[in-house]
Amino acid sequence: MKRLPSVKQLQYLLALHEHQHFGRAAEACFVGQSTLSAAIANLEETMQTQLLERDHKTFIFTSLGEDVVRQARHIIEQCEELTEFAKSQGKPMAGPFRLGCIPTIAPFVLSEVMSLCRERYPDLQLLLREDTTDNSLHALAEGRLDMVLLALPYETGAFHTEVLAQDGFKLVLHKDWLGRGFNQDISQWPDESIFLLEREHCLTGHAVKACELEDSRKVNPFFATSLHTLTQMVNNKLGVTFIPQMAINSGLLDSTELITQLPASGNAYRDIGVAWRPTSSKARSYRLMTSLITEVLQQKCQ
């Protein structure tokens, strides 16, 4: 029988790659450093190749080692899915389901998604993580998430993506600013009158493109950190902004003196979609979750 790496050895390898330190990796795996070091050495012996370049107390992964890490991540993911499959007796939408979501969507849809999951899939353990698009996609690639709910278009690489709904943008301004010409072409607006989110939020890029904000002079160089902060700045008559319809429908503007108008660019919107790994064996669960999320979005994006 051919000698093969063990699952534990591959787990140790992934931990070492994540922490880039033998001591911290060993601590994360709840083993001694010598145990982890010996396991990595045995793994190299089994594979008959060098995974690490060692220099006294430092090391780097070889190019082949990086490739092995990517394959190991996929193998561990499959092992975890096999275990979950057995525990749920092969039923879809049972056991843990790790859903990532970006901050400009999460507060407005996840509560309803969780409620529907509890009602329809009582055996499902829905675990939520709110983070930026880049961080969420990175976690998806590493197998730490099953699916990401995000705004599109966005570069998602080899992930499978589906557009589920269109979320329109509305111009939001204080009611006292109705006569200030914001119903005219954006080129006629005062410089630095538009407030947006920090650039790490993809909503800013989608708003710039959808609402045709090519003239950077119109955008204020001070960026807000959240949609709630953004609305407070506009409510204090510092400027205007563009807010997605799902946030407005969820009551973001309640208890403010803000009003909405259609943008001068007309039908401005962002696509809301999901992404998952096409190599995963959870396709049936992904389809059912996609259908459930679509149902919620149809209510939120009207």
Side-chain angles (χ1 to χ4, degrees):
M1 183 177 294
K2 184 181 293 186
R3 185 182 177 189
L4 297 174
S6 70
V7 171
K8 189 170 291 294
Q9 286 174 332
L10 297 181
Q11 289 175 318
Y12 290 165
L13 182 69
L14 294 182
L16 183 61
H17 188 267
E18 178 183 355
H19 295 281
Q20 294 293 313
H21 187 275
F22 275 94
R24 290 193 293 270
E27 185 177 348
C29 295
F30 302 102
V31 297
Q33 183 172 330
S34 59
T35 299
L36 186 136
S37 181
I40 299 299
N42 290 336
L43 180 61
E44 289 179 307
E45 181 182 345
T46 299
M47 292 185 166
Q48 297 181 348
T49 190
Q50 183 181 12
L51 302 177
L52 305 178
E53 291 183 15
R54 298 168 175 83
D55 180 19
H56 301 294
K57 293 186 178 181
T58 65
F59 69 90
I60 61 172
F61 277 78
T62 64
S63 58
L64 180 59
E66 293 285 352
D67 291 337
V68 170
V69 165
R70 282 189 286 271
Q71 291 292 325
R73 188 171 289 127
H74 178 64
I75 292 170
I76 295 300
E77 173 195 334
Q78 293 295 315
C79 289
E80 290 175 347
E81 290 183 359
L82 177 62
T83 302
E84 292 170 7
F85 180 82
K87 286 182 178 179
S88 62
Q89 300 179 346
K91 295 187 299 182
M93 297 295 275
F97 191 105
R98 299 157 298 180
L99 176 65
C101 189
I102 63 175
T104 56
I105 297 177
F108 314 117
V109 302
L110 290 188
S111 177
E112 286 82 353
V113 168
M114 291 197 73
S115 294
L116 283 180
C117 283
R118 284 196 301 269
E119 176 185 331
R120 298 179 186 176
Y121 306 109
D123 295 329
L124 183 75
Q125 182 186 10
L126 183 60
L127 305 172
L128 305 176
R129 171 175 172 169
E130 181 179 331
D131 209 334
T132 62
T133 305
D134 282 342
N135 289 343
S136 296
L137 292 177
H138 182 67
L140 183 64
E142 292 190 339
R144 291 183 283 117
L145 291 176
D146 295 307
M147 175 183 284
V148 175
L149 178 57
L150 74 171
L152 299 169
Y154 201 91
E155 177 54 51
T156 56
F159 295 132
H160 175 83
T161 60
E162 290 188 16
V163 174
L164 309 184
Q166 291 182 341
D167 187 21
F169 284 104
K170 291 292 178 63
L171 170 65
V172 176
L173 67 162
H174 196 277
K175 64 179 183 180
D176 294 343
W177 283 27
L178 265 176
R180 293 201 176 190
F182 287 101
N183 59 336
Q184 300 176 5
D185 186 83
I186 291 178
S187 62
Q188 305 300 313
W189 293 9
D191 290 348
E192 300 186 358
S193 59
I194 303 172
F195 283 88
L196 298 172
L197 289 178
E198 290 180 334
R199 294 289 179 180
E200 66 179 13
H201 294 282
C202 61
L203 178 67
T204 294
H206 290 139
V208 167
K209 183 175 181 180
C211 302
E212 301 177 3
L213 308 181
E214 287 85 1
D215 189 348
S216 60
R217 295 174 301 175
K218 306 303 178 183
V219 178
N220 196 290
F222 187 86
F223 294 95
T225 56
S226 70
L227 285 175
H228 289 86
T229 304
L230 195 59
T231 56
Q232 290 305 311
M233 291 165 63
V234 176
N235 195 46
N236 280 279
K237 304 181 183 181
L238 297 178
V240 301
T241 191
F242 294 91
I243 299 291
Q245 189 65 52
M246 71 163 59
I248 297 171
N249 289 345
S250 297
L252 182 67
L253 306 185
D254 292 354
S255 302
T256 71
E257 296 184 307
L258 300 178
I259 59 172
T260 64
Q261 293 182 351
L262 284 174
S265 56
N267 187 28
Y269 64 89
R270 61 176 180 167
D271 288 324
I272 307 298
V274 290
W276 67 74
R277 295 179 304 280
T279 55
S280 174
S281 61
K282 291 185 175 181
R284 292 172 62 196
S285 292
Y286 295 160
R287 291 294 177 190
L288 291 170
M289 181 61 75
T290 295
S291 177
L292 186 147
I293 293 173
T294 301
E295 187 177 333
V296 173
L297 290 175
Q298 287 175 344
Q299 299 174 357
K300 290 293 184 176
C301 297
Q302 291 180 350

